[in-house]
């Protein structure tokens, strides 16, 4: 097998402000595994929060590539990855997820099967995805919500955690009034204290918010579990639910966990998490980082396993260099094509990634 990589820049259509930062772009490393004339692709994106820049991702992908190139075929490489014999415990989950995706893509192409079928799902998953509105003026949020509802979006996720909580309340109220038919999710990205959460959550419940992600500063999962017990809204853990161990600790104590493949280590790690919490009363949200359709596609193939889908990272880009999972009408769809089912757009094909 031959492994190559390429680093590209993904610009957002407009800046996305959350409680801890504002993002305008991120870099992505595309990992390509080639064998017998077929190629599988995966994507890892940079993250300030997780301390991953493009150079670090590239170096780590190169290290894993050395292990992959020693193996005879993609099927044995995928099994070695699942068994932990490729990409050891010190490899960041974002890199493991990209390798997992590239191998699944290639194995699927070799078998003539879409990834969801390799994973046991007989039909292609389809899910209504949330669409994120960042911390912005209420009037602007209302205009965006109105536009999204007109395009078919049924779920809107509103970022919160502004210095003045009144700003968050005004933004949610404006979105509710502009798009009364959509379900609302709230995400402060860990900006609140327990006292502030206790004061605000009943008010957001009155405004029709359906669930809240990571309201508390991460690092104290016991406090998050205690808040979930008394909260008038379902509480979904995100920054406090990074590893499988984190999730097991919170199982049955929060209403949901946000499973991001780049956070947990890929499709197979996500399936392990789902199995570990099955029957606990804690549901799964499938989340994402801002990424291209290539980066989102593996999660879309799992979308039928989640209560909530927040798979809009590709929709936030000024230009998505890959295509194949939809989403512009509020619905993401796994492809029936072999592998991940995504393809590079015409201008990318010349870059030898097809």
């Amino acid at each position: 097998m031959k492994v190559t990589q390429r680093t590209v820049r993904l610009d957002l259509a407009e800046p996305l402000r959350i409680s801890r930062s504002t993002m305008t772009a991120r870099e992505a490393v595309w990992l390509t595994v080639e064998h017998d004339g077929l190629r599988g692709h995966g994507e890892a994106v940079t993250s300030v929060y997780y301390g991953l820049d493009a150079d670090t991702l590239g170096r780590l992908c190169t290290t894993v590539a050395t292990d992959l190139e020693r193996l005879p075929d993609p099927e044995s490489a995928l099994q070695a990855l699942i068994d932990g014999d490729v990409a050891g415990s010190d490899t960041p989950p974002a890199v493991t997820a990209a390798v997992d995706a590239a191998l699944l893509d290639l194995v699927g192409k070799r078998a003539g099967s879409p990834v969801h079928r390799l994973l046991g799902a007989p039909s292609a998953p389809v899910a209504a995805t949330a669409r994120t509105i960042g911390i912005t003026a209420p009037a602007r949020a209302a205009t965006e919500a109105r536009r999204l509802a007109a395009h078919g979006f049924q779920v809107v996720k509103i970022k919160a955690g502004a210095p003045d909580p009144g700003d968050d309340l005004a933004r949610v109220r404006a979105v509710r009034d502009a798009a009364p038919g959509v379900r609302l999710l709230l995400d402060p990205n860990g900006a609140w204290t327990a006292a502030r959460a206790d004061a605000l959550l009943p008010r957001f419940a009155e405004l029709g918010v359906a669930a809240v992600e990571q309201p508390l500063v991460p690092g104290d999962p016991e406090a998050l579990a205690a808040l979930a017990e008394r909260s008038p809204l379902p509480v979904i853990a995100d920054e406090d639910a990074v590893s499988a161990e984190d999730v097991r600790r919170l199982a049955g104590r929060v209403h949901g966990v946000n499973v991001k493949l780049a956070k947990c280590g890929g499709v197979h790690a996500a399936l392990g998490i789902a199995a570990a919490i099955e029957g606990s009363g804690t549901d799964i949200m499938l989340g994402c980082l801002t990424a291209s359709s290539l980066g989102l596609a593996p999660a879309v193939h799992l979308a039928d396993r989640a209560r909530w889908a927040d798979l809009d990272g590709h929709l936030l880009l000024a230009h998505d260099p890959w295509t194949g999972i939809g989403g512009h009408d509020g619905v993401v769809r796994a492809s029936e094509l072999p592998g991940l089912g995504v393809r590079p757009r015409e201008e990318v094909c010349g870059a030898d990634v097809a």
Side-chain angles (χ1 to χ4, degrees):
M1 292 190 298
K2 178 184 177 183
V3 183
T4 57
Q5 61 179 276
R6 177 186 174 197
T7 300
V8 299
R9 178 183 170 92
L10 302 174
D11 290 303
L12 274 67
E14 59 182 52
L16 177 65
R17 180 186 168 198
I18 65 174
S19 60
R20 60 174 177 255
S21 63
T22 299
M23 182 174 58
T24 59
R26 69 187 340 148
E27 290 182 288
V29 174
W30 293 342
L31 189 74
T32 299
V33 182
E34 184 174 357
H35 186 73
D36 287 346
L38 292 174
R39 294 171 177 167
H41 306 288
E43 179 179 88
V45 295
T46 56
S47 170
V48 173
Y49 185 78
Y50 292 112
L52 295 173
D53 58 24
D55 289 342
T56 300
L57 287 175
R59 174 175 52 80
L60 292 168
C61 285
T62 298
T63 300
V64 175
T66 302
D67 293 336
L68 292 178
E69 288 174 342
R70 296 194 186 105
L71 296 167
D73 54 58
E75 292 77 13
S76 58
L78 182 60
Q79 189 59 53
L81 184 72
I82 295 169
D83 293 341
D85 297 328
V86 175
S89 59
D90 57 340
T91 303
V95 174
T96 305
V99 175
D100 191 30
L103 290 173
L104 276 169
D105 190 29
L106 184 51
V107 168
K109 288 174 179 175
R110 282 164 58 85
S113 173
V115 163
H116 62 267
R117 202 167 297 148
L118 292 179
L119 301 174
S123 58
V126 177
T129 179
R131 178 67 158 79
T132 299
I133 294 178
I135 296 176
T136 188
R140 185 179 181 121
T143 298
E144 178 66 0
R146 199 174 292 112
R147 183 187 71 82
L148 292 172
H151 281 82
F153 282 85
Q154 304 169 42
V155 188
V156 169
K157 183 165 89 168
I158 306 167
K159 292 292 186 178
D164 180 355
D167 292 342
D168 293 336
L169 288 163
R171 184 165 48 261
V172 171
R173 188 177 296 109
V175 169
R176 183 206 60 188
D177 292 345
V182 304
R183 287 185 291 132
L184 303 181
L185 304 176
L186 191 70
D187 186 7
N189 287 105
W192 295 344
T193 62
R196 177 162 285 189
D198 284 332
L200 290 176
L201 288 179
R203 299 182 68 181
F204 284 115
E206 290 174 358
L207 289 172
V209 171
V212 59
E213 274 186 74
Q214 194 66 43
L216 301 186
V217 177
D220 190 350
E222 293 300 317
L224 189 68
L227 177 66
E229 188 173 1
R230 63 182 185 267
S231 171
L233 293 176
V235 172
I236 303 167
D238 184 358
E239 286 88 344
D240 268 328
V242 176
S243 67
E245 182 180 349
D246 294 336
V247 173
R248 281 192 292 269
R249 188 183 299 120
L250 288 167
R253 306 177 68 201
V254 295
H255 303 89
V257 289
N258 188 333
V259 177
K260 298 174 182 172
L261 303 191
K263 183 174 68 171
C264 72
V267 165
H268 290 93
L271 290 173
I273 287 173
I277 67 173
E278 186 175 4
S280 70
T282 295
D283 293 313
I284 286 177
M285 168 184 274
L286 270 174
C288 65
L289 301 180
T290 304
S292 76
S293 287
L294 172 60
L296 270 290
V300 176
H301 283 275
L302 297 176
D304 56 344
R305 292 167 165 87
R307 175 179 173 183
W308 303 277
D310 181 22
L311 300 175
D312 67 338
H314 61 306
L315 303 176
L316 303 178
L317 300 179
H319 175 71
D320 184 357
W322 296 77
T323 185
I325 59 174
H328 292 280
D329 60 351
V331 178
V332 289
R333 302 168 177 85
S335 173
E336 288 285 5
L337 294 173
L340 292 174
V342 294
R343 296 290 182 267
R345 295 188 187 274
E346 184 177 352
E347 62 271 26
V348 182
C349 292
D352 197 34
V353 296

